[in-house]
Amino acid sequence: MQAKSRKQSGCNPLAETGRSKLQNQRAVLNQQILRAVRMRAGAENLLRATTNNKVREQVLLELSFVNSDLQILKEELEGLNISVEVYQNTEETFSIPLVPLGLKETKEVDFTVPLKDFILEHYSEDSSEYEDEIADLMDLRQACRTPSRDEAGIEMLMSYFLQLGFIENRFFPPTRHMGVLFTWYDSFTGVPVCQQNLLLEKASILFNIGALYTQIGTRCNRQTQTGLENAVDAFQRAAGVLSYLKETFTHTPSYDMSPAMLNVLVKMMLAQAQECAFEQISLPGIRNEFFTLVKMTQEVAKVGEVYMMVNTAVTQEPVKENIPYSWSKLVQIKADHYRALAHYFLATILCDHELQSSDDEDQQEKALSQLYDYVPEGVMILTILKDKVQRKQLGKAHLRKAIVYHEEALRVCGLCKKLRNIEVLLEVLTAAHKRSLLKYAQQETEDDFLSLIQAPDILPKTEHKVEMVAPQFSKVKVKDLFHRLGPLSVFSAKQRWTAPRTIRFHWETGELGFSLKGGAPVQIYCLDPVCSAASAGLKEGDYIVSVGGVDCKWLGVNEVLEKLKSVGEQPIEFEVISCQDTTASMHSKSATYSVGMQKTYSLICLAMEENKTDQAKKAPLKLPFLSWGTKNRQKAASTLCLPSAVAGSSQVKKKLSPFTLLGTESSLY
């Protein structure tokens, strides 16, 4: 798969599609939330600063209005997150909707001035010659804001993510910031996070890759085998990308990319993949046959189990404060619905399939025993198979349990305004409930003590286990946009070079007076200190970057030698650069703008730094919660400020080479 880096474009942001309208509404809400949190931050600062009681009363009143406004905006954003019907396949379907993730919104970034300045200062090259490359980079980033909902959109996001690996190594030195401010909005809260940190950009792009996979999965036609296969694959890949984000970028400064939230999202995507896998095996229809129903009972019980795990996760702190309410209720509904189906299938086995003389008694006993972890005291599986009364009473017990789960699913659905407006969801739940009621009414009503028997829980089991699929970045071939600067192993931001020096000298008895070594670019070694080249300023270890005005940073030893010898009796003229030894002087503070996020990772007050100075001399250094994921951590702090006032530098971080990017641990903050 060859990823093009020039002139890529996303979807038309002005297109009147349901998905585009949702993204536009999300962008507007993000701006409104930004204004509101700025007002709240200002009011809180004034409240802390003033001692005038009258002023405090007015500020408290203003704060109550602002907080009410923020709550309304948050509910509107939640409404966009649960607009699942927009992302579903357009074909008429009778399936419970799936949950997609919305793409994170961002502001435009202008790389022009910072990159041109760095090219001139660091690489000593004419930055105007790289205007096309900078424009291509900005076009690619702009296109990534509105990717198409297909494999082309995934490929474009991945190509930009990989391109960021080259950009980081080329232009982001470990000793200072580049002055490029990245702003990304939280997908759930709408609160912006601003950092001069390329890792925020990388993590946000990864989140959007996972989100786009979820949108592709919900778009698949679930009425066909191919569509369901694609849906399973998409949700597995979404889980893989989100898991990779959680493991690679730790301590992210926004709720939607926090480890706890990502853990929940991974479980949710795997649960949806398991749900689609069950729909895939049941699509041809479920035969009312003993062993078929045993298999389907365990398969659907597995779906109910994974949704129960998700339901447990979404009710834990701190996730439950930020996950959309309708999402958590939909997860609970699905857990109850699929557990009800499992009990309905098992009741059908017991009520409709009496043991016949031609049946394999041992096989049926073995199959039925695999469905139970335990059975009521005094009840034997073989006895149940042979005894018509016990068999029917246990079947009725499973039907009663199925009806209870169905009624609970309908009750929870009625509690959520967003969900009860989704017609297909109500239709599926109601139809399943009526089917169980009808089955129960068809059974005879013998009144004996066995009618009070409790149905045992059903053991889940699946032959179609879903697993995360790790992101396959290696399939996307990306060319370094700034490859003309030279091989990345030599020409990177972490290495400093002298300005190119021109060396001009004549041949001496057919000998150059030095040897060449290495790949591209070639390096001077074994320099004769008394040769004419040394007299002209050539030094041991210099790199040759051009010969006769022709760039040769990508040429090997033989190719450079040919160019040197091709001048004949004319003076030899070439340009070299020398490596400078640098001492990494790192700043101790990193500036982050993430206003209005109570209990968030970014609110570490800079003023606390002075108070901790004396304590640090008496006690061992305690690592801050927000720190780089490297072994040699330094003390760090963050400050709360507006985007226009962001300053400071990040701590030392482990550099990510584009060749070792996928296996490197790093953190955002």
Short mmCIF file of all heavy atoms in Angstrom, two decimals, residues 587-634:
data_model
loop_
_atom_site.label_atom_id
_atom_site.label_comp_id
_atom_site.label_asym_id
_atom_site.label_seq_id
_atom_site.Cartn_x
_atom_site.Cartn_y
_atom_site.Cartn_z
N HIS A 587 14.86 22.60 29.78
CA HIS A 587 14.01 23.39 30.65
C HIS A 587 13.30 22.46 31.62
O HIS A 587 13.04 21.30 31.33
CB HIS A 587 12.98 24.16 29.82
CG HIS A 587 13.61 25.16 28.89
ND1 HIS A 587 14.03 26.38 29.32
CD2 HIS A 587 13.90 25.09 27.56
CE1 HIS A 587 14.54 27.05 28.28
NE2 HIS A 587 14.47 26.28 27.22
N SER A 588 12.97 22.97 32.77
CA SER A 588 12.36 22.13 33.80
C SER A 588 10.86 22.24 33.85
O SER A 588 10.23 21.59 34.66
CB SER A 588 12.94 22.50 35.17
OG SER A 588 12.62 23.85 35.48
N LYS A 589 10.26 23.06 33.01
CA LYS A 589 8.81 23.25 33.07
C LYS A 589 8.22 23.09 31.68
O LYS A 589 8.86 23.40 30.69
CB LYS A 589 8.47 24.62 33.64
CG LYS A 589 8.98 24.83 35.07
CD LYS A 589 8.62 26.21 35.57
CE LYS A 589 9.13 26.42 36.99
NZ LYS A 589 10.57 26.38 37.08
N SER A 590 6.99 22.63 31.64
CA SER A 590 6.27 22.47 30.38
C SER A 590 4.95 23.19 30.48
O SER A 590 4.25 23.09 31.48
CB SER A 590 6.03 20.99 30.06
OG SER A 590 5.29 20.86 28.89
N ALA A 591 4.61 23.96 29.45
CA ALA A 591 3.38 24.74 29.49
C ALA A 591 2.26 24.00 28.80
O ALA A 591 2.43 23.49 27.71
CB ALA A 591 3.60 26.09 28.80
N THR A 592 1.13 23.92 29.46
CA THR A 592 -0.04 23.26 28.91
C THR A 592 -1.25 24.14 29.14
O THR A 592 -1.42 24.69 30.22
CB THR A 592 -0.28 21.91 29.59
OG1 THR A 592 0.88 21.11 29.41
CG2 THR A 592 -1.47 21.20 28.99
N TYR A 593 -2.11 24.24 28.12
CA TYR A 593 -3.37 24.97 28.29
C TYR A 593 -4.50 23.96 28.23
O TYR A 593 -4.70 23.30 27.24
CB TYR A 593 -3.53 26.01 27.18
CG TYR A 593 -4.93 26.56 27.08
CD1 TYR A 593 -5.48 27.27 28.13
CD2 TYR A 593 -5.69 26.35 25.94
CE1 TYR A 593 -6.76 27.77 28.05
CE2 TYR A 593 -6.97 26.85 25.85
CZ TYR A 593 -7.50 27.56 26.91
OH TYR A 593 -8.76 28.06 26.81
N SER A 594 -5.20 23.80 29.32
CA SER A 594 -6.33 22.88 29.35
C SER A 594 -7.32 23.39 30.38
O SER A 594 -7.47 22.83 31.45
CB SER A 594 -5.86 21.47 29.71
OG SER A 594 -6.93 20.58 29.66
N VAL A 595 -7.97 24.50 30.06
CA VAL A 595 -8.76 25.19 31.06
C VAL A 595 -10.04 24.45 31.37
O VAL A 595 -10.57 23.70 30.57
CB VAL A 595 -9.13 26.61 30.57
CG1 VAL A 595 -7.90 27.41 30.30
CG2 VAL A 595 -9.98 26.55 29.31
N GLY A 596 -10.52 24.66 32.58
CA GLY A 596 -11.83 24.18 32.95
C GLY A 596 -11.94 22.70 33.20
O GLY A 596 -13.02 22.18 33.32
N MET A 597 -10.83 21.99 33.26
CA MET A 597 -10.89 20.54 33.44
C MET A 597 -10.61 20.22 34.90
O MET A 597 -9.47 20.05 35.31
CB MET A 597 -9.88 19.83 32.53
CG MET A 597 -10.18 20.01 31.07
SD MET A 597 -8.96 19.20 30.03
CE MET A 597 -9.26 17.50 30.44
N GLN A 598 -11.65 20.15 35.70
CA GLN A 598 -11.47 19.83 37.10
C GLN A 598 -11.02 18.38 37.23
O GLN A 598 -11.46 17.51 36.52
CB GLN A 598 -12.78 20.03 37.86
CG GLN A 598 -13.23 21.49 37.85
CD GLN A 598 -14.53 21.67 38.59
OE1 GLN A 598 -15.12 20.71 39.06
NE2 GLN A 598 -14.97 22.91 38.71
N LYS A 599 -10.14 18.16 38.19
CA LYS A 599 -9.60 16.83 38.47
C LYS A 599 -8.87 16.26 37.26
O LYS A 599 -8.75 15.06 37.11
CB LYS A 599 -10.70 15.85 38.88
CG LYS A 599 -11.46 16.27 40.13
CD LYS A 599 -12.52 15.24 40.46
CE LYS A 599 -13.34 15.68 41.66
NZ LYS A 599 -14.39 14.71 41.97
N THR A 600 -8.39 17.12 36.38
CA THR A 600 -7.72 16.59 35.20
C THR A 600 -6.22 16.57 35.40
O THR A 600 -5.68 17.17 36.33
CB THR A 600 -8.06 17.42 33.95
OG1 THR A 600 -7.47 16.78 32.83
CG2 THR A 600 -7.50 18.81 34.04
N TYR A 601 -5.52 15.89 34.48
CA TYR A 601 -4.09 15.73 34.61
C TYR A 601 -3.34 17.05 34.44
O TYR A 601 -2.23 17.18 34.88
CB TYR A 601 -3.59 14.73 33.55
CG TYR A 601 -4.28 13.41 33.58
CD1 TYR A 601 -4.92 12.91 32.45
CD2 TYR A 601 -4.30 12.66 34.74
CE1 TYR A 601 -5.54 11.69 32.49
CE2 TYR A 601 -4.93 11.44 34.78
CZ TYR A 601 -5.54 10.96 33.65
OH TYR A 601 -6.16 9.74 33.68
N SER A 602 -3.93 18.04 33.74
CA SER A 602 -3.18 19.21 33.35
C SER A 602 -3.18 20.31 34.40
O SER A 602 -2.50 21.30 34.24
CB SER A 602 -3.75 19.77 32.04
OG SER A 602 -3.60 18.84 31.03
N LEU A 603 -3.99 20.18 35.45
CA LEU A 603 -4.09 21.25 36.42
C LEU A 603 -3.10 21.06 37.56
O LEU A 603 -3.46 20.76 38.69
CB LEU A 603 -5.52 21.34 36.95
CG LEU A 603 -6.55 21.78 35.90
CD1 LEU A 603 -7.91 21.92 36.55
CD2 LEU A 603 -6.14 23.09 35.28
N ILE A 604 -1.84 21.19 37.27
CA ILE A 604 -0.81 21.20 38.31
C ILE A 604 -0.31 22.63 38.40
O ILE A 604 0.25 23.17 37.45
CB ILE A 604 0.34 20.24 37.97
CG1 ILE A 604 -0.18 18.82 37.91
CG2 ILE A 604 1.46 20.37 38.99
CD1 ILE A 604 0.88 17.82 37.57
N CYS A 605 -0.52 23.24 39.52
CA CYS A 605 -0.25 24.68 39.64
C CYS A 605 1.24 24.94 39.64
O CYS A 605 2.00 24.34 40.40
CB CYS A 605 -0.90 25.23 40.91
SG CYS A 605 -0.72 27.00 41.08
N LEU A 606 1.66 25.87 38.83
CA LEU A 606 3.07 26.21 38.72
C LEU A 606 3.56 26.86 40.00
O LEU A 606 4.72 26.73 40.37
CB LEU A 606 3.29 27.15 37.53
CG LEU A 606 4.74 27.52 37.22
CD1 LEU A 606 5.51 26.26 36.87
CD2 LEU A 606 4.80 28.52 36.09
N ALA A 607 2.67 27.54 40.72
CA ALA A 607 3.07 28.22 41.94
C ALA A 607 3.54 27.25 43.01
O ALA A 607 4.27 27.62 43.93
CB ALA A 607 1.90 29.04 42.48
N MET A 608 3.11 25.98 42.91
CA MET A 608 3.51 24.98 43.89
C MET A 608 5.00 24.68 43.79
O MET A 608 5.58 24.12 44.72
CB MET A 608 2.70 23.71 43.70
CG MET A 608 1.22 23.87 43.96
SD MET A 608 0.29 22.39 43.51
CE MET A 608 1.02 21.22 44.64
N GLU A 609 5.61 25.03 42.68
CA GLU A 609 7.02 24.71 42.46
C GLU A 609 7.90 25.36 43.51
O GLU A 609 8.82 24.75 44.05
CB GLU A 609 7.43 25.16 41.06
CG GLU A 609 8.81 24.71 40.63
CD GLU A 609 8.84 23.23 40.34
OE1 GLU A 609 7.77 22.66 40.09
OE2 GLU A 609 9.92 22.66 40.39
N GLU A 610 7.63 26.64 43.83
CA GLU A 610 8.45 27.34 44.80
C GLU A 610 8.30 26.73 46.19
O GLU A 610 9.26 26.62 46.95
CB GLU A 610 8.06 28.82 44.81
CG GLU A 610 8.33 29.51 43.47
CD GLU A 610 7.90 30.96 43.51
OE1 GLU A 610 7.38 31.39 44.57
OE2 GLU A 610 8.09 31.65 42.51
N ASN A 611 7.05 26.34 46.54
CA ASN A 611 6.81 25.78 47.87
C ASN A 611 7.49 24.43 48.06
O ASN A 611 7.80 24.03 49.16
CB ASN A 611 5.31 25.63 48.10
CG ASN A 611 4.60 26.97 48.07
OD1 ASN A 611 5.21 27.99 48.38
ND2 ASN A 611 3.32 26.96 47.72
N LYS A 612 7.70 23.73 46.93
CA LYS A 612 8.29 22.40 47.03
C LYS A 612 9.82 22.43 47.05
O LYS A 612 10.47 21.42 47.27
CB LYS A 612 7.82 21.53 45.86
CG LYS A 612 6.34 21.18 45.93
CD LYS A 612 5.97 20.28 44.77
CE LYS A 612 4.50 19.91 44.83
NZ LYS A 612 4.11 19.05 43.71
N THR A 613 10.41 23.61 46.80
CA THR A 613 11.87 23.69 46.66
C THR A 613 12.57 23.28 47.95
O THR A 613 13.49 22.46 47.96
CB THR A 613 12.28 25.11 46.27
OG1 THR A 613 11.63 25.46 45.05
CG2 THR A 613 13.80 25.18 46.08
N ASP A 614 12.10 23.86 49.07
CA ASP A 614 12.74 23.55 50.35
C ASP A 614 12.46 22.11 50.77
O ASP A 614 13.31 21.44 51.34
CB ASP A 614 12.23 24.51 51.42
CG ASP A 614 12.68 25.94 51.12
OD1 ASP A 614 13.70 26.08 50.43
OD2 ASP A 614 11.99 26.90 51.56
N GLN A 615 11.24 21.64 50.49
CA GLN A 615 10.89 20.28 50.87
C GLN A 615 11.73 19.26 50.12
O GLN A 615 12.05 18.21 50.65
CB GLN A 615 9.41 20.02 50.63
CG GLN A 615 8.51 20.93 51.43
CD GLN A 615 7.04 20.71 51.08
OE1 GLN A 615 6.73 19.80 50.33
NE2 GLN A 615 6.18 21.52 51.63
N ALA A 616 12.07 19.60 48.91
CA ALA A 616 12.84 18.67 48.08
C ALA A 616 14.22 18.43 48.65
O ALA A 616 14.83 17.38 48.44
CB ALA A 616 12.93 19.18 46.65
N LYS A 617 14.76 19.42 49.38
CA LYS A 617 16.08 19.25 49.97
C LYS A 617 16.06 18.27 51.14
O LYS A 617 17.06 17.66 51.49
CB LYS A 617 16.62 20.61 50.42
CG LYS A 617 16.78 21.60 49.28
CD LYS A 617 17.27 22.94 49.80
CE LYS A 617 17.41 23.96 48.67
NZ LYS A 617 17.82 25.28 49.17
N LYS A 618 14.88 18.16 51.79
CA LYS A 618 14.78 17.33 52.98
C LYS A 618 14.29 15.93 52.67
O LYS A 618 14.57 15.00 53.41
CB LYS A 618 13.84 17.99 53.99
CG LYS A 618 14.29 19.38 54.41
CD LYS A 618 13.28 20.01 55.35
CE LYS A 618 13.70 21.43 55.74
NZ LYS A 618 12.71 22.06 56.64
N ALA A 619 13.48 15.81 51.62
CA ALA A 619 12.88 14.52 51.31
C ALA A 619 13.30 14.06 49.93
O ALA A 619 13.66 14.87 49.08
CB ALA A 619 11.36 14.62 51.37
N PRO A 620 13.28 12.76 49.69
CA PRO A 620 13.60 12.25 48.34
C PRO A 620 12.63 12.81 47.32
O PRO A 620 11.47 13.08 47.62
CB PRO A 620 13.43 10.73 48.48
CG PRO A 620 13.52 10.47 49.95
CD PRO A 620 12.99 11.69 50.63
N LEU A 621 13.12 12.99 46.12
CA LEU A 621 12.30 13.55 45.04
C LEU A 621 11.14 12.63 44.72
O LEU A 621 11.33 11.44 44.45
CB LEU A 621 13.16 13.74 43.78
CG LEU A 621 12.43 14.27 42.55
CD1 LEU A 621 11.86 15.66 42.84
CD2 LEU A 621 13.36 14.32 41.35
N LYS A 622 9.95 13.17 44.78
CA LYS A 622 8.75 12.40 44.44
C LYS A 622 8.33 12.71 43.02
O LYS A 622 8.14 13.88 42.67
CB LYS A 622 7.62 12.75 45.41
CG LYS A 622 6.37 11.91 45.18
CD LYS A 622 5.31 12.27 46.19
CE LYS A 622 4.06 11.43 45.98
NZ LYS A 622 3.00 11.77 46.95
N LEU A 623 8.21 11.70 42.21
CA LEU A 623 7.87 11.93 40.81
C LEU A 623 6.47 12.49 40.68
O LEU A 623 5.54 12.01 41.33
CB LEU A 623 7.95 10.61 40.03
CG LEU A 623 9.35 10.03 39.87
CD1 LEU A 623 9.26 8.71 39.13
CD2 LEU A 623 10.27 10.99 39.14
N PRO A 624 6.27 13.52 39.87
CA PRO A 624 4.92 14.05 39.67
C PRO A 624 4.07 13.05 38.91
O PRO A 624 4.59 12.20 38.19
CB PRO A 624 5.17 15.32 38.83
CG PRO A 624 6.45 15.05 38.12
CD PRO A 624 7.27 14.21 39.06
N PHE A 625 2.75 13.16 39.05
CA PHE A 625 1.84 12.24 38.34
C PHE A 625 1.99 12.40 36.84
O PHE A 625 1.93 11.44 36.09
CB PHE A 625 0.40 12.53 38.74
CG PHE A 625 -0.58 11.62 38.08
CD1 PHE A 625 -0.64 10.29 38.45
CD2 PHE A 625 -1.42 12.08 37.08
CE1 PHE A 625 -1.53 9.44 37.84
CE2 PHE A 625 -2.31 11.23 36.47
CZ PHE A 625 -2.36 9.91 36.86
N LEU A 626 2.20 13.64 36.42
CA LEU A 626 2.37 13.90 34.99
C LEU A 626 3.85 13.93 34.70
O LEU A 626 4.53 14.89 35.03
CB LEU A 626 1.76 15.25 34.63
CG LEU A 626 0.24 15.24 34.60
CD1 LEU A 626 -0.24 16.62 34.25
CD2 LEU A 626 -0.26 14.24 33.61
N SER A 627 4.40 12.92 34.12
CA SER A 627 5.82 12.90 33.82
C SER A 627 6.07 12.08 32.59
O SER A 627 5.24 11.28 32.17
CB SER A 627 6.60 12.33 35.00
OG SER A 627 6.12 11.05 35.33
N TRP A 628 7.22 12.29 32.01
CA TRP A 628 7.56 11.51 30.82
C TRP A 628 7.76 10.06 31.19
O TRP A 628 8.19 9.73 32.29
CB TRP A 628 8.84 12.05 30.19
CG TRP A 628 8.67 13.38 29.58
CD1 TRP A 628 9.05 14.59 30.08
CD2 TRP A 628 8.02 13.67 28.35
NE1 TRP A 628 8.68 15.58 29.24
CE2 TRP A 628 8.06 15.07 28.17
CE3 TRP A 628 7.41 12.88 27.37
CZ2 TRP A 628 7.52 15.69 27.06
CZ3 TRP A 628 6.87 13.49 26.26
CH2 TRP A 628 6.93 14.88 26.12
N GLY A 629 7.48 9.18 30.22
CA GLY A 629 7.63 7.75 30.46
C GLY A 629 9.04 7.26 30.23
O GLY A 629 9.24 6.19 29.73
N THR A 630 10.06 8.04 30.58
CA THR A 630 11.44 7.62 30.41
C THR A 630 12.04 7.28 31.76
O THR A 630 11.50 7.62 32.82
CB THR A 630 12.27 8.75 29.75
OG1 THR A 630 12.12 9.92 30.55
CG2 THR A 630 11.76 9.02 28.36
N LYS A 631 13.15 6.62 31.75
CA LYS A 631 13.76 6.19 33.00
C LYS A 631 14.34 7.38 33.76
O LYS A 631 14.22 7.49 34.97
CB LYS A 631 14.86 5.15 32.72
CG LYS A 631 14.31 3.84 32.15
CD LYS A 631 15.43 2.86 31.93
CE LYS A 631 14.89 1.54 31.35
NZ LYS A 631 15.96 0.57 31.09
N ASN A 632 15.00 8.28 33.05
CA ASN A 632 15.64 9.42 33.69
C ASN A 632 14.69 10.59 33.70
O ASN A 632 14.78 11.49 32.87
CB ASN A 632 16.93 9.79 32.96
CG ASN A 632 17.92 8.64 32.98
OD1 ASN A 632 18.03 7.96 33.99
ND2 ASN A 632 18.61 8.41 31.88
N ARG A 633 13.72 10.58 34.62
CA ARG A 633 12.74 11.65 34.68
C ARG A 633 13.31 12.83 35.44
O ARG A 633 14.00 12.67 36.44
CB ARG A 633 11.47 11.16 35.36
CG ARG A 633 10.70 10.13 34.55
CD ARG A 633 9.36 9.90 35.22
NE ARG A 633 8.52 9.03 34.45
CZ ARG A 633 8.23 7.78 34.79
NH1 ARG A 633 8.74 7.27 35.88
NH2 ARG A 633 7.44 7.05 34.05
N GLN A 634 12.97 14.03 35.01
CA GLN A 634 13.32 15.22 35.74
C GLN A 634 12.06 15.83 36.30
O GLN A 634 10.96 15.53 35.87
CB GLN A 634 14.02 16.24 34.82
CG GLN A 634 15.35 15.72 34.28
CD GLN A 634 16.04 16.78 33.45
OE1 GLN A 634 15.54 17.89 33.32
NE2 GLN A 634 17.18 16.44 32.90
#
